[in-house]
Amino acid sequence: MEEKIRHVAIIMDGNGRWAKKQGLPRTAGHRQGVENVRNIAIAANDLGLEVLTVFAFSTENWKRPEEEVGYLMKLPSVFFKRFLKELMEKNIRITMIGEMEQIPKETAKVLQAAIEDTRGNTGMTLNFAMNYGGRREIVLAAQQYAQDVAAGKAPLQIEEAQFGQYLMTSAFPPLDLLIRTSGEYRISNFLLWDLAYAELMFVDEAWPELTPERFQECLQRFQKRERRFGGLK
Ligand code: FPP
């Protein structure tokens, strides 16, 4: 039976290497990466996905040179200036996971506006992981849960699914597939909880050169895989 894909996540790796290959500065790779977020999001929406989660900035990315961090923080503004109108037309909703507090005010404002403007849209959700780390997400969930236990609002004995309610991804359907571009075989602290039963796919293309056709091919390959979730079929 064909598996319906609801939620796909992407680690958009290889912008820097792509730029270097073209003799361009790393920032040119990120800039091209922004264009491709649009291309793949439109394709994903047309293919009927419910959620596309993209790793735009990790809690580890703060360690990059200040100039590059500054450039990466301007990308949401570039993206929404260029594409918000089209996203609205396509009925795409914007959401974010990660900690908004440490993000520069201007960037946070742009993100909040896009989330607000698209709140009523009923098509695909394009979910940006910004200042996001998988371990941090679990620590924050544990803190929140501990507070609820201390306040008598939650029992000490709970199931995994109940703990899942404390995670940033709790409102989304389960993650079906993770795609990482640029030939690296790592998870890089992305969606650790959700990845427990997701399928993983690693492609050699750098993020700026991943085409909608190739993306669709990944989805088709996923549909041919048999997911057993630890059981037998
Ligand atoms: C990793 O590639 C990529 C990032 C750290 C940034 C990803 C961000 C985008 C693709 C754009 C985000 C778009 C919006 C709208 C916020 P790398 O530069 O580390 O590649 P390298 O490993 O080749 O150096």
Side-chain angles (χ1 to χ4, degrees):
M1 201 184 83
E2 278 217 342
E3 190 95 43
K4 177 163 167 32
I5 313 184
R6 302 176 68 192
H7 185 178
V8 174
I10 308 183
I11 300 178
M12 308 182 288
D13 195 14
N15 294 339
R17 276 165 285 170
W18 177 85
K20 197 170 166 204
K21 249 189 357 211
Q22 330 278 318
L24 297 168
R26 292 178 55 77
T27 48
H30 297 315
R31 182 64 191 81
Q32 196 55 36
V34 169
E35 298 295 307
N36 216 30
V37 172
R38 178 259 171 211
N39 295 341
I40 299 298
I42 298 291
N45 181 61
D46 290 347
L47 289 165
L49 279 195
E50 288 174 44
V51 182
L52 179 69
T53 298
V54 291
F55 207 178
F57 193 91
S58 76
T59 46
E60 287 74 31
N61 286 152
W62 296 108
K63 292 188 225 147
R64 294 192 177 203
E66 205 181 312
E67 210 185 296
E68 184 167 339
V69 169
Y71 190 84
L72 288 169
M73 283 297 154
K74 289 205 186 82
L75 297 180
S77 159
V78 172
F79 180 78
F80 293 118
K81 265 198 198 113
R82 257 177 83 61
F83 301 124
L84 188 62
K85 189 165 168 275
E86 190 182 10
L87 297 173
M88 287 300 290
E89 282 161 13
K90 289 274 181 183
N91 201 16
I92 292 174
R93 183 172 75 117
I94 301 296
T95 55
M96 185 195 133
I97 54 171
E99 288 172 278
M100 192 74 104
E101 297 75 44
Q102 294 96 346
I103 292 176
K105 278 203 176 58
E106 272 312 299
T107 313
K109 227 166 79 184
V110 164
L111 279 161
Q112 265 152 357
I115 292 167
E116 202 47 54
D117 290 349
T118 62
R119 195 179 291 282
N121 290 354
T122 54
M124 188 189 76
T125 296
L126 174 57
N127 180 36
F128 283 95
M130 281 289 285
N131 190 27
Y132 171 88
R135 288 184 172 179
R136 180 82 187 136
E137 177 186 23
I138 294 171
V139 167
L140 289 173
Q143 282 175 351
Q144 191 61 54
Y145 170 56
Q147 268 176 14
D148 281 359
V149 172
K153 286 195 248 165
L156 192 54
Q157 298 301 328
I158 53 167
E159 301 294 327
E160 289 173 11
Q162 287 166 286
F163 185 76
Q165 292 303 310
Y166 289 91
L167 294 162
M168 294 168 179
T169 50
S170 66
F172 304 129
L175 183 64
D176 295 305
L177 171 66
L178 171 78
I179 301 171
R180 180 174 188 138
T181 59
S182 208
E184 306 281 353
Y185 303 92
R186 283 193 297 275
I187 300 302
S188 300
N189 200 17
F190 196 34
L191 301 176
L192 295 179
W193 179 277
D194 308 83
L195 282 170
Y197 288 107
E199 295 283 322
L200 309 179
M201 253 176 223
F202 301 93
V203 298
D204 286 333
E205 290 93 331
W207 170 248
E209 60 194 9
L210 183 80
T211 60
E213 292 71 31
R214 185 85 168 104
F215 175 73
Q216 184 173 9
E217 208 182 291
C218 290
L219 269 51
Q220 283 162 349
R221 253 166 57 200
F222 165 89
Q223 281 169 322
K224 291 205 184 86
R225 288 186 183 177
E226 194 189 346
R227 296 174 88 195
R228 288 194 291 271
F229 301 97
L232 295 172
K233 249 184 202 170

mmCIF file of all heavy atoms in Angstrom, residues 11-18 26 29-34 37 54-58 61 64 68 72 75-80 111 128 130 182 184 186 207, ligand 1:
data_model
loop_
_atom_site.group_PDB
_atom_site.id
_atom_site.type_symbol
_atom_site.label_atom_id
_atom_site.label_comp_id
_atom_site.label_asym_id
_atom_site.label_seq_id
_atom_site.Cartn_x
_atom_site.Cartn_y
_atom_site.Cartn_z
ATOM 1 N N ILE A 11 17.231 19.254 6.017
ATOM 2 C CA ILE A 11 18.454 19.934 6.452
ATOM 3 C C ILE A 11 19.085 20.493 5.178
ATOM 4 O O ILE A 11 19.572 19.745 4.325
ATOM 5 C CB ILE A 11 19.423 18.977 7.183
ATOM 6 C CG1 ILE A 11 18.748 18.397 8.436
ATOM 7 C CG2 ILE A 11 20.719 19.716 7.555
ATOM 8 C CD1 ILE A 11 19.599 17.396 9.213
ATOM 9 N N MET A 12 19.034 21.808 5.068
ATOM 10 C CA MET A 12 19.418 22.474 3.803
ATOM 11 C C MET A 12 20.920 22.750 3.820
ATOM 12 O O MET A 12 21.347 23.873 4.006
ATOM 13 C CB MET A 12 18.627 23.774 3.661
ATOM 14 C CG MET A 12 17.113 23.589 3.817
ATOM 15 S SD MET A 12 16.185 25.119 3.583
ATOM 16 C CE MET A 12 16.582 26.032 5.061
ATOM 17 N N ASP A 13 21.705 21.711 3.591
ATOM 18 C CA ASP A 13 23.151 21.838 3.742
ATOM 19 C C ASP A 13 23.814 22.098 2.384
ATOM 20 O O ASP A 13 23.272 21.736 1.342
ATOM 21 C CB ASP A 13 23.692 20.546 4.372
ATOM 22 C CG ASP A 13 25.101 20.719 4.904
ATOM 23 O OD1 ASP A 13 25.563 21.869 5.040
ATOM 24 O OD2 ASP A 13 25.744 19.698 5.174
ATOM 25 N N GLY A 14 24.997 22.715 2.445
ATOM 26 C CA GLY A 14 25.829 22.830 1.244
ATOM 27 C C GLY A 14 25.780 24.171 0.535
ATOM 28 O O GLY A 14 26.320 24.307 -0.573
ATOM 29 N N ASN A 15 25.178 25.161 1.144
ATOM 30 C CA ASN A 15 25.144 26.490 0.516
ATOM 31 C C ASN A 15 26.555 27.029 0.286
ATOM 32 O O ASN A 15 26.865 27.566 -0.782
ATOM 33 C CB ASN A 15 24.411 27.497 1.402
ATOM 34 C CG ASN A 15 22.947 27.181 1.553
ATOM 35 O OD1 ASN A 15 22.380 26.476 0.738
ATOM 36 N ND2 ASN A 15 22.331 27.708 2.595
ATOM 37 N N GLY A 16 27.384 26.907 1.342
ATOM 38 C CA GLY A 16 28.748 27.439 1.277
ATOM 39 C C GLY A 16 29.569 26.749 0.196
ATOM 40 O O GLY A 16 30.231 27.403 -0.613
ATOM 41 N N ARG A 17 29.493 25.418 0.192
ATOM 42 C CA ARG A 17 30.269 24.662 -0.817
ATOM 43 C C ARG A 17 29.780 24.950 -2.228
ATOM 44 O O ARG A 17 30.565 25.054 -3.160
ATOM 45 C CB ARG A 17 30.181 23.151 -0.524
ATOM 46 C CG ARG A 17 31.187 22.698 0.504
ATOM 47 C CD ARG A 17 30.854 21.346 1.040
ATOM 48 N NE ARG A 17 29.724 21.414 1.968
ATOM 49 C CZ ARG A 17 29.094 20.352 2.447
ATOM 50 N NH1 ARG A 17 29.449 19.148 2.074
ATOM 51 N NH2 ARG A 17 28.103 20.501 3.298
ATOM 52 N N TRP A 18 28.480 25.087 -2.370
ATOM 53 C CA TRP A 18 27.914 25.400 -3.692
ATOM 54 C C TRP A 18 28.480 26.737 -4.189
ATOM 55 O O TRP A 18 28.904 26.851 -5.339
ATOM 56 C CB TRP A 18 26.391 25.472 -3.607
ATOM 57 C CG TRP A 18 25.735 25.860 -4.892
ATOM 58 C CD1 TRP A 18 25.393 25.022 -5.915
ATOM 59 C CD2 TRP A 18 25.366 27.189 -5.312
ATOM 60 N NE1 TRP A 18 24.834 25.733 -6.947
ATOM 61 C CE2 TRP A 18 24.800 27.071 -6.601
ATOM 62 C CE3 TRP A 18 25.454 28.447 -4.724
ATOM 63 C CZ2 TRP A 18 24.332 28.176 -7.317
ATOM 64 C CZ3 TRP A 18 24.991 29.543 -5.430
ATOM 65 C CH2 TRP A 18 24.433 29.404 -6.712
ATOM 66 N N ARG A 26 30.412 32.759 0.386
ATOM 67 C CA ARG A 26 29.450 31.853 1.029
ATOM 68 C C ARG A 26 28.046 32.448 1.084
ATOM 69 O O ARG A 26 27.049 31.744 0.930
ATOM 70 C CB ARG A 26 29.897 31.550 2.461
ATOM 71 C CG ARG A 26 31.153 30.736 2.580
ATOM 72 C CD ARG A 26 31.529 30.540 4.055
ATOM 73 N NE ARG A 26 30.446 29.952 4.837
ATOM 74 C CZ ARG A 26 30.125 28.657 4.808
ATOM 75 N NH1 ARG A 26 30.802 27.830 4.052
ATOM 76 N NH2 ARG A 26 29.127 28.211 5.532
ATOM 77 N N GLY A 29 25.722 31.680 -1.587
ATOM 78 C CA GLY A 29 25.096 30.360 -1.477
ATOM 79 C C GLY A 29 23.833 30.430 -0.631
ATOM 80 O O GLY A 29 22.805 29.844 -0.977
ATOM 81 N N HIS A 30 23.908 31.171 0.464
ATOM 82 C CA HIS A 30 22.715 31.313 1.321
ATOM 83 C C HIS A 30 21.610 32.048 0.559
ATOM 84 O O HIS A 30 20.438 31.712 0.664
ATOM 85 C CB HIS A 30 23.064 32.068 2.606
ATOM 86 C CG HIS A 30 24.055 31.348 3.476
ATOM 87 N ND1 HIS A 30 23.961 30.007 3.755
ATOM 88 C CD2 HIS A 30 25.169 31.787 4.126
ATOM 89 C CE1 HIS A 30 24.969 29.644 4.540
ATOM 90 N NE2 HIS A 30 25.718 30.705 4.776
ATOM 91 N N ARG A 31 22.036 33.055 -0.205
ATOM 92 C CA ARG A 31 21.044 33.838 -0.961
ATOM 93 C C ARG A 31 20.320 32.942 -1.974
ATOM 94 O O ARG A 31 19.103 33.027 -2.142
ATOM 95 C CB ARG A 31 21.753 35.020 -1.664
ATOM 96 C CG ARG A 31 20.845 35.928 -2.434
ATOM 97 C CD ARG A 31 19.854 36.621 -1.499
ATOM 98 N NE ARG A 31 18.806 37.299 -2.250
ATOM 99 C CZ ARG A 31 17.745 36.685 -2.759
ATOM 100 N NH1 ARG A 31 17.583 35.384 -2.613
ATOM 101 N NH2 ARG A 31 16.825 37.371 -3.415
ATOM 102 N N GLN A 32 21.103 32.087 -2.644
ATOM 103 C CA GLN A 32 20.497 31.157 -3.604
ATOM 104 C C GLN A 32 19.635 30.132 -2.854
ATOM 105 O O GLN A 32 18.605 29.690 -3.362
ATOM 106 C CB GLN A 32 21.599 30.470 -4.414
ATOM 107 C CG GLN A 32 21.123 29.774 -5.669
ATOM 108 C CD GLN A 32 20.348 30.684 -6.614
ATOM 109 O OE1 GLN A 32 20.666 31.875 -6.754
ATOM 110 N NE2 GLN A 32 19.324 30.152 -7.249
ATOM 111 N N GLY A 33 20.077 29.810 -1.642
ATOM 112 C CA GLY A 33 19.306 28.885 -0.804
ATOM 113 C C GLY A 33 17.914 29.420 -0.505
ATOM 114 O O GLY A 33 16.949 28.661 -0.438
ATOM 115 N N VAL A 34 17.812 30.717 -0.336
ATOM 116 C CA VAL A 34 16.510 31.343 -0.086
ATOM 117 C C VAL A 34 15.568 31.109 -1.273
ATOM 118 O O VAL A 34 14.397 30.763 -1.098
ATOM 119 C CB VAL A 34 16.677 32.862 0.169
ATOM 120 C CG1 VAL A 34 15.331 33.564 0.171
ATOM 121 C CG2 VAL A 34 17.389 33.098 1.488
ATOM 122 N N VAL A 37 14.215 27.670 -1.126
ATOM 123 C CA VAL A 37 13.167 27.422 -0.129
ATOM 124 C C VAL A 37 11.817 27.674 -0.803
ATOM 125 O O VAL A 37 10.876 26.894 -0.666
ATOM 126 C CB VAL A 37 13.332 28.326 1.117
ATOM 127 C CG1 VAL A 37 12.132 28.184 2.049
ATOM 128 C CG2 VAL A 37 14.612 27.983 1.872
ATOM 129 N N VAL A 54 11.827 23.268 7.557
ATOM 130 C CA VAL A 54 13.175 23.512 7.015
ATOM 131 C C VAL A 54 14.096 24.074 8.107
ATOM 132 O O VAL A 54 13.704 24.944 8.882
ATOM 133 C CB VAL A 54 13.143 24.468 5.794
ATOM 134 C CG1 VAL A 54 12.493 23.794 4.598
ATOM 135 C CG2 VAL A 54 12.460 25.791 6.105
ATOM 136 N N PHE A 55 15.323 23.542 8.144
ATOM 137 C CA PHE A 55 16.294 23.940 9.170
ATOM 138 C C PHE A 55 17.022 25.188 8.669
ATOM 139 O O PHE A 55 17.961 25.101 7.887
ATOM 140 C CB PHE A 55 17.280 22.794 9.401
ATOM 141 C CG PHE A 55 17.899 22.754 10.775
ATOM 142 C CD1 PHE A 55 18.767 21.730 11.113
ATOM 143 C CD2 PHE A 55 17.603 23.701 11.740
ATOM 144 C CE1 PHE A 55 19.342 21.649 12.382
ATOM 145 C CE2 PHE A 55 18.160 23.639 13.010
ATOM 146 C CZ PHE A 55 19.034 22.616 13.328
ATOM 147 N N ALA A 56 16.582 26.357 9.117
ATOM 148 C CA ALA A 56 17.129 27.613 8.589
ATOM 149 C C ALA A 56 18.273 28.150 9.442
ATOM 150 O O ALA A 56 19.162 28.837 8.931
ATOM 151 C CB ALA A 56 16.025 28.659 8.482
ATOM 152 N N PHE A 57 18.244 27.855 10.748
ATOM 153 C CA PHE A 57 19.310 28.350 11.633
ATOM 154 C C PHE A 57 19.301 27.518 12.908
ATOM 155 O O PHE A 57 18.290 27.450 13.601
ATOM 156 C CB PHE A 57 19.080 29.830 11.967
ATOM 157 C CG PHE A 57 20.279 30.489 12.604
ATOM 158 C CD1 PHE A 57 21.244 31.121 11.826
ATOM 159 C CD2 PHE A 57 20.449 30.464 13.990
ATOM 160 C CE1 PHE A 57 22.360 31.715 12.413
ATOM 161 C CE2 PHE A 57 21.562 31.059 14.578
ATOM 162 C CZ PHE A 57 22.522 31.691 13.796
ATOM 163 N N SER A 58 20.457 26.908 13.210
ATOM 164 C CA SER A 58 20.500 26.032 14.382
ATOM 165 C C SER A 58 21.090 26.768 15.583
ATOM 166 O O SER A 58 21.761 27.800 15.428
ATOM 167 C CB SER A 58 21.350 24.791 14.085
ATOM 168 O OG SER A 58 22.718 25.122 14.128
ATOM 169 N N ASN A 61 24.623 27.415 15.023
ATOM 170 C CA ASN A 61 25.044 28.358 13.974
ATOM 171 C C ASN A 61 25.531 29.700 14.530
ATOM 172 O O ASN A 61 26.197 30.457 13.831
ATOM 173 C CB ASN A 61 23.920 28.605 12.946
ATOM 174 C CG ASN A 61 23.707 27.430 12.010
ATOM 175 O OD1 ASN A 61 22.611 27.213 11.511
ATOM 176 N ND2 ASN A 61 24.761 26.648 11.771
ATOM 177 N N ARG A 64 29.236 30.655 14.088
ATOM 178 C CA ARG A 64 29.814 31.104 12.806
ATOM 179 C C ARG A 64 30.285 32.562 12.926
ATOM 180 O O ARG A 64 29.865 33.275 13.838
ATOM 181 C CB ARG A 64 28.772 30.978 11.699
ATOM 182 C CG ARG A 64 28.443 29.534 11.450
ATOM 183 C CD ARG A 64 27.647 29.336 10.198
ATOM 184 N NE ARG A 64 27.430 27.910 9.999
ATOM 185 C CZ ARG A 64 27.164 27.336 8.846
ATOM 186 N NH1 ARG A 64 27.055 28.057 7.762
ATOM 187 N NH2 ARG A 64 27.001 26.047 8.759
ATOM 188 N N GLU A 68 28.605 36.328 8.979
ATOM 189 C CA GLU A 68 27.723 35.313 8.372
ATOM 190 C C GLU A 68 26.431 35.170 9.174
ATOM 191 O O GLU A 68 25.338 35.055 8.593
ATOM 192 C CB GLU A 68 28.451 33.968 8.259
ATOM 193 C CG GLU A 68 27.595 32.931 7.535
ATOM 194 C CD GLU A 68 28.346 31.667 7.115
ATOM 195 O OE1 GLU A 68 29.585 31.717 7.009
ATOM 196 O OE2 GLU A 68 27.675 30.651 6.890
ATOM 197 N N LEU A 72 22.702 35.596 7.737
ATOM 198 C CA LEU A 72 21.665 34.553 7.866
ATOM 199 C C LEU A 72 20.404 35.123 8.529
ATOM 200 O O LEU A 72 19.290 34.749 8.174
ATOM 201 C CB LEU A 72 22.199 33.370 8.671
ATOM 202 C CG LEU A 72 23.239 32.482 7.955
ATOM 203 C CD1 LEU A 72 23.900 31.511 8.935
ATOM 204 C CD2 LEU A 72 22.605 31.705 6.803
ATOM 205 N N LEU A 75 17.909 36.782 6.194
ATOM 206 C CA LEU A 75 17.256 35.989 5.150
ATOM 207 C C LEU A 75 15.735 35.901 5.266
ATOM 208 O O LEU A 75 15.046 35.958 4.241
ATOM 209 C CB LEU A 75 17.878 34.585 5.082
ATOM 210 C CG LEU A 75 19.365 34.572 4.700
ATOM 211 C CD1 LEU A 75 19.893 33.144 4.651
ATOM 212 C CD2 LEU A 75 19.605 35.264 3.348
ATOM 213 N N PRO A 76 15.189 35.802 6.490
ATOM 214 C CA PRO A 76 13.725 35.786 6.541
ATOM 215 C C PRO A 76 13.107 37.031 5.904
ATOM 216 O O PRO A 76 12.112 36.938 5.173
ATOM 217 C CB PRO A 76 13.426 35.722 8.045
ATOM 218 C CG PRO A 76 14.612 35.022 8.618
ATOM 219 C CD PRO A 76 15.781 35.525 7.815
ATOM 220 N N SER A 77 13.743 38.174 6.144
ATOM 221 C CA SER A 77 13.219 39.406 5.561
ATOM 222 C C SER A 77 13.298 39.361 4.024
ATOM 223 O O SER A 77 12.333 39.725 3.326
ATOM 224 C CB SER A 77 14.017 40.588 6.130
ATOM 225 O OG SER A 77 13.914 41.685 5.297
ATOM 226 N N VAL A 78 14.424 38.891 3.503
ATOM 227 C CA VAL A 78 14.578 38.742 2.046
ATOM 228 C C VAL A 78 13.496 37.811 1.506
ATOM 229 O O VAL A 78 12.821 38.109 0.508
ATOM 230 C CB VAL A 78 15.985 38.158 1.716
ATOM 231 C CG1 VAL A 78 16.111 37.820 0.241
ATOM 232 C CG2 VAL A 78 17.086 39.107 2.161
ATOM 233 N N PHE A 79 13.322 36.706 2.201
ATOM 234 C CA PHE A 79 12.380 35.681 1.745
ATOM 235 C C PHE A 79 10.949 36.208 1.708
ATOM 236 O O PHE A 79 10.243 36.071 0.706
ATOM 237 C CB PHE A 79 12.488 34.460 2.664
ATOM 238 C CG PHE A 79 11.556 33.332 2.304
ATOM 239 C CD1 PHE A 79 11.857 32.478 1.254
ATOM 240 C CD2 PHE A 79 10.381 33.127 3.011
ATOM 241 C CE1 PHE A 79 11.003 31.428 0.911
ATOM 242 C CE2 PHE A 79 9.526 32.083 2.680
ATOM 243 C CZ PHE A 79 9.829 31.237 1.637
ATOM 244 N N PHE A 80 10.517 36.836 2.809
ATOM 245 C CA PHE A 80 9.113 37.240 2.860
ATOM 246 C C PHE A 80 8.829 38.451 1.973
ATOM 247 O O PHE A 80 7.733 38.577 1.429
ATOM 248 C CB PHE A 80 8.663 37.458 4.308
ATOM 249 C CG PHE A 80 8.636 36.178 5.092
ATOM 250 C CD1 PHE A 80 9.440 35.987 6.202
ATOM 251 C CD2 PHE A 80 7.819 35.130 4.686
ATOM 252 C CE1 PHE A 80 9.433 34.789 6.903
ATOM 253 C CE2 PHE A 80 7.798 33.922 5.377
ATOM 254 C CZ PHE A 80 8.611 33.750 6.483
ATOM 255 N N LEU A 111 9.391 37.613 11.114
ATOM 256 C CA LEU A 111 8.852 36.253 11.249
ATOM 257 C C LEU A 111 7.450 36.285 11.852
ATOM 258 O O LEU A 111 6.533 35.631 11.356
ATOM 259 C CB LEU A 111 9.770 35.409 12.128
ATOM 260 C CG LEU A 111 11.002 34.834 11.427
ATOM 261 C CD1 LEU A 111 12.059 34.416 12.435
ATOM 262 C CD2 LEU A 111 10.617 33.627 10.566
ATOM 263 N N PHE A 128 9.523 27.041 9.736
ATOM 264 C CA PHE A 128 10.946 27.389 9.800
ATOM 265 C C PHE A 128 11.521 27.017 11.158
ATOM 266 O O PHE A 128 11.002 27.462 12.190
ATOM 267 C CB PHE A 128 11.141 28.895 9.587
ATOM 268 C CG PHE A 128 11.008 29.304 8.155
ATOM 269 C CD1 PHE A 128 9.792 29.773 7.657
ATOM 270 C CD2 PHE A 128 12.082 29.208 7.284
ATOM 271 C CE1 PHE A 128 9.660 30.131 6.328
ATOM 272 C CE2 PHE A 128 11.965 29.568 5.951
ATOM 273 C CZ PHE A 128 10.747 30.034 5.467
ATOM 274 N N MET A 130 14.241 27.974 13.385
ATOM 275 C CA MET A 130 15.154 29.126 13.518
ATOM 276 C C MET A 130 15.630 29.185 14.953
ATOM 277 O O MET A 130 14.803 29.167 15.870
ATOM 278 C CB MET A 130 14.409 30.442 13.254
ATOM 279 C CG MET A 130 14.146 30.819 11.826
ATOM 280 S SD MET A 130 15.613 31.304 10.907
ATOM 281 C CE MET A 130 15.988 32.921 11.482
ATOM 282 N N SER A 182 23.591 17.641 0.203
ATOM 283 C CA SER A 182 25.026 17.883 0.192
ATOM 284 C C SER A 182 25.903 16.754 0.737
ATOM 285 O O SER A 182 27.037 16.995 1.159
ATOM 286 C CB SER A 182 25.341 19.183 0.940
ATOM 287 O OG SER A 182 26.527 19.746 0.422
ATOM 288 N N GLU A 184 26.240 14.791 3.330
ATOM 289 C CA GLU A 184 26.704 14.504 4.698
ATOM 290 C C GLU A 184 25.674 13.594 5.372
ATOM 291 O O GLU A 184 24.476 13.790 5.211
ATOM 292 C CB GLU A 184 26.813 15.793 5.531
ATOM 293 C CG GLU A 184 27.644 16.885 4.920
ATOM 294 C CD GLU A 184 29.138 16.676 5.084
ATOM 295 O OE1 GLU A 184 29.529 15.728 5.798
ATOM 296 O OE2 GLU A 184 29.897 17.450 4.486
ATOM 297 N N ARG A 186 24.589 13.114 8.639
ATOM 298 C CA ARG A 186 24.444 13.531 10.044
ATOM 299 C C ARG A 186 23.057 14.098 10.287
ATOM 300 O O ARG A 186 22.392 14.552 9.366
ATOM 301 C CB ARG A 186 25.453 14.655 10.365
ATOM 302 C CG ARG A 186 26.866 14.237 10.570
ATOM 303 C CD ARG A 186 27.657 15.393 11.184
ATOM 304 N NE ARG A 186 27.721 16.550 10.310
ATOM 305 C CZ ARG A 186 28.618 16.713 9.337
ATOM 306 N NH1 ARG A 186 29.500 15.788 9.099
ATOM 307 N NH2 ARG A 186 28.594 17.806 8.587
ATOM 308 N N TRP A 207 22.079 22.235 -1.318
ATOM 309 C CA TRP A 207 20.711 22.763 -1.200
ATOM 310 C C TRP A 207 20.304 23.668 -2.379
ATOM 311 O O TRP A 207 19.212 23.489 -2.937
ATOM 312 C CB TRP A 207 20.505 23.470 0.143
ATOM 313 C CG TRP A 207 19.218 24.216 0.187
ATOM 314 C CD1 TRP A 207 19.036 25.560 0.223
ATOM 315 C CD2 TRP A 207 17.900 23.628 0.121
ATOM 316 N NE1 TRP A 207 17.703 25.868 0.206
ATOM 317 C CE2 TRP A 207 16.980 24.699 0.132
ATOM 318 C CE3 TRP A 207 17.422 22.317 0.049
ATOM 319 C CZ2 TRP A 207 15.603 24.491 0.088
ATOM 320 C CZ3 TRP A 207 16.049 22.103 -0.004
ATOM 321 C CH2 TRP A 207 15.151 23.182 0.021
HETATM 322 C C1 FPP B 1 24.057 25.055 5.795
HETATM 323 O O1 FPP B 1 24.877 25.184 4.670
HETATM 324 C C2 FPP B 1 23.002 26.038 5.705
HETATM 325 C C3 FPP B 1 22.728 26.981 6.640
HETATM 326 C C4 FPP B 1 23.444 27.098 7.900
HETATM 327 C C5 FPP B 1 21.675 27.980 6.401
HETATM 328 C C6 FPP B 1 20.503 27.493 5.669
HETATM 329 C C7 FPP B 1 19.646 28.598 5.282
HETATM 330 C C8 FPP B 1 19.041 28.713 4.072
HETATM 331 C C9 FPP B 1 19.131 27.690 3.032
HETATM 332 C C10 FPP B 1 18.183 29.861 3.774
HETATM 333 C C11 FPP B 1 17.132 30.022 4.800
HETATM 334 C C12 FPP B 1 16.017 30.754 4.267
HETATM 335 C C13 FPP B 1 15.177 31.509 4.991
HETATM 336 C C14 FPP B 1 14.041 32.089 4.314
HETATM 337 C C15 FPP B 1 15.369 31.812 6.424
HETATM 338 P P1 FPP B 1 26.377 25.650 4.821
HETATM 339 O O2 FPP B 1 26.480 27.049 4.450
HETATM 340 O O3 FPP B 1 26.886 25.251 6.152
HETATM 341 O O4 FPP B 1 27.073 24.815 3.699
HETATM 342 P P2 FPP B 1 28.560 24.250 3.702
HETATM 343 O O5 FPP B 1 28.522 23.046 4.605
HETATM 344 O O6 FPP B 1 28.762 23.914 2.274
HETATM 345 O O7 FPP B 1 29.464 25.327 4.190
#
